[in-house]
Amino acid sequence: VQLQASGGGLVQTGGSLRLSCAASGRSFSYYTVGWFRQAPGKEREFVATISRVGRVTSYADSVKGRFTISRDNAKNTAWLQMNSLKPEDTAVYYCAARNSVTGEIDRRAMNYGHWGQGTLVTVSS
């Protein structure tokens, strides 16, 4: 599966953005999807993940209650709705896909074999 992330941009503190992850290739429903981010000078970190049919989600504590991950397999797309953005949310955001027989979600970047190119989110104070 090939992934393309989009929707990043510059937003003020408290604003919102919606990131999209468009998939092409093998059936999107075979994959769990994760969003990760990497701020300048920092390691890539987990943001959110969603199971293959969207029934199960998990979030990093730092974004819980502000971000929402969703997907529509018929559209081969996943989204990350980001509300109440803070300057510390500034990072390059990546979507990733994991082909799992069990379909369980996973917060570990090392277990995702397919990555999009990243989209930059900048939150100004």
Side-chain angles (χ1 to χ4, degrees), residues 77-93:
T77 304
W79 296 274
L80 184 69
Q81 177 67 43
M82 306 186 295
N83 298 328
S84 302
L85 283 161
K86 305 174 181 180
E88 50 264 44
D89 294 318
T90 295
V92 177
Y93 283 72

Side-chain angles (χ1 to χ4, degrees), residues 17-34:
L17 282 174
R18 190 191 197 199
L19 305 184
S20 298
C21 178
S24 61
R26 196 176 173 189
S27 178
F28 190 49
S29 62
Y30 291 172
Y31 298 87
T32 58
V33 172

Side-chain angles (χ1 to χ4, degrees), residues 39-57:
K42 295 187 177 181
E43 294 186 352
R44 189 171 299 189
E45 65 175 0
F46 166 77
V47 176
T49 184
I50 188 167
S51 61
R52 291 187 300 185
V53 295
R55 291 197 184 107
V56 181
T57 58

Side-chain angles (χ1 to χ4, degrees), residues 63-84:
V63 307
K64 198 172 296 183
R66 301 187 297 122
F67 291 11
T68 302
I69 189 171
S70 61
R71 68 188 295 167
D72 184 337
N73 290 337
K75 297 181 179 179
N76 287 345
T77 304
W79 296 274
L80 184 69
Q81 177 67 43
M82 306 186 295
N83 298 328
S84 302

Side-chain angles (χ1 to χ4, degrees), residues 32-36 46 48-51 58 98 100 103-112:
T32 58
V33 172
W35 284 95
F36 296 81
F46 166 77
T49 184
I50 188 167
S51 61
S58 179
R98 174 173 179 262
S100 169
E104 62 186 17
I105 57 174
D106 197 312
R107 299 161 67 107
R108 296 166 292 181
M110 62 183 293
N111 290 334
Y112 286 77

